[in-house]
Amino acid sequence: MDDRSLEAYLAATPRSRELSERAAAVMPGGDTRSVTYHEPYPSFVASASGCRLVTEDGEELLDFLNNYTQSVLGHAPPAVVEAVTDRFARGNGLGAPTEEAVELAERLVGRVPSLEQVRFGNSGTEATMNAIRGAMAYTGNETVLKVHGGYHGTHDTVEIAVESAGREHRGIPADVEQRVRTTPFNDSEALKTAFAEAGDDLACFILEPVLGVGGAIPAETEFLRTARDLTRNHDVPLVFDEVMTFRLGYGGAQERYGVTPDMTALGKCIGGGLPVGAFGGRADIMSVFDPERGDVAHSGTFNANPATMAGGVATLDALDRAAIERLNDLGDQLRSGVREAVAGHERSIQVTGEGSMFQLHVTDGPVTDARSGNPGRDAFGDLFMALRNRGIFIAPRGMGNLSTPMSEREVDGFLDALDASLAFLA
Ligand SMILES: Cc1ncc(COP(=O)(O)O)c(C=O)c1O
């Protein structure tokens, strides 16, 4: 990391440093989430409103991370705060179903083309885990096909072949690897070969319509169509992981691309800022979760947590077609602004993304998959800290996204900070 940036950061964040030291005494690495860590220590955030964070050191940061796409409406949107607090005040954690879950399920089924039925959990991890489990119960097969570099959360099966510098599969039983096949992103020929070799043994093919953690790289429509045809021909459920990409279209990225999978995993923004996951799809597949059939148990103390469901309903009501279209247009403006801003500088920066999701990559070459983007957070470290010191908060590895309180003003602020950061690092 650039020494001048490091010095400036240390000088500006004494309180965060103190909190990090306290945290490290009681939590390994001083945190409980691998991705939020960066050197020398992350800033602690005291509060947030709209698209701004206020750190424990009193700095104000423009939030271009939005909890990795979750805070699509920004922070503490009044309608969501009201819905959540109202529901919580009337009782939460009731051990019985509540109407809010029906309301959220109806909205999701009404919007997302693949959803005939849906169930709720508490994370995107649970969503993909249960979607895969349902697909295994439906097909009777146990081998999962995933994209190399696809990220679907932290359960064993999907931790295989996540592109990340130096990652090994320690802590995951060795036989899990034998039940996961991988295929390169956006490579239809390789996908055809994978299905020719193992199509009849697959439980499902799971992929993100836009690689999120893998670099904000959009799928080619032709790749998704090929996936649709192959899975249909082999009666293998096609699972879209829309935990991040739901925000790209009223009915998620599947509506934007016009390709309807058999099952969909959701999370992040659909819970109004509270922990959430959802998975759903064709009614015949989802019926394996029907307690009267008893094929697959799906329990969880906090499944369909009432306050989460109320927050989700308020969020989806605000996230209408116009709001999504506006955000996606703003994303287009940001990407073309980045291309212009970086053109005058020595350092080679690429920008990828789709709609309101984007990523900056420090590399010359074209970025086509998780391997060709930023190789881990190190490549981006200098630029991350330079931007951070100029009031812009994005992921330590360069990923960003937009929230509805943002306008051209914030996008311009981002572009100015990028220009200044690249000049500083020259
Ligand atoms: C595409 C995708 N799937 C699944 C997950 C896991 O979600 P969670 O972190 O809520 O478990 C993530 C999280 O970033 C994700 O980006």
Side-chain angles (χ1 to χ4, degrees), residues 68 122-126 128 151-154 208 213 241 243-244 268 276:
Y68 290 82
N122 298 288
S123 64
T125 294
E126 285 175 49
T128 61
Y151 181 72
H152 306 292
T154 57
E208 302 157 270
V213 169
D241 179 349
V243 168
M244 278 195 183
K268 303 252 191 225
V276 76

Side-chain angles (χ1 to χ4, degrees), residues 205-221:
F205 176 35
I206 183 167
L207 80 163
E208 302 157 270
V210 178
L211 284 186
V213 169
I217 303 166
E220 285 158 17
T221 306

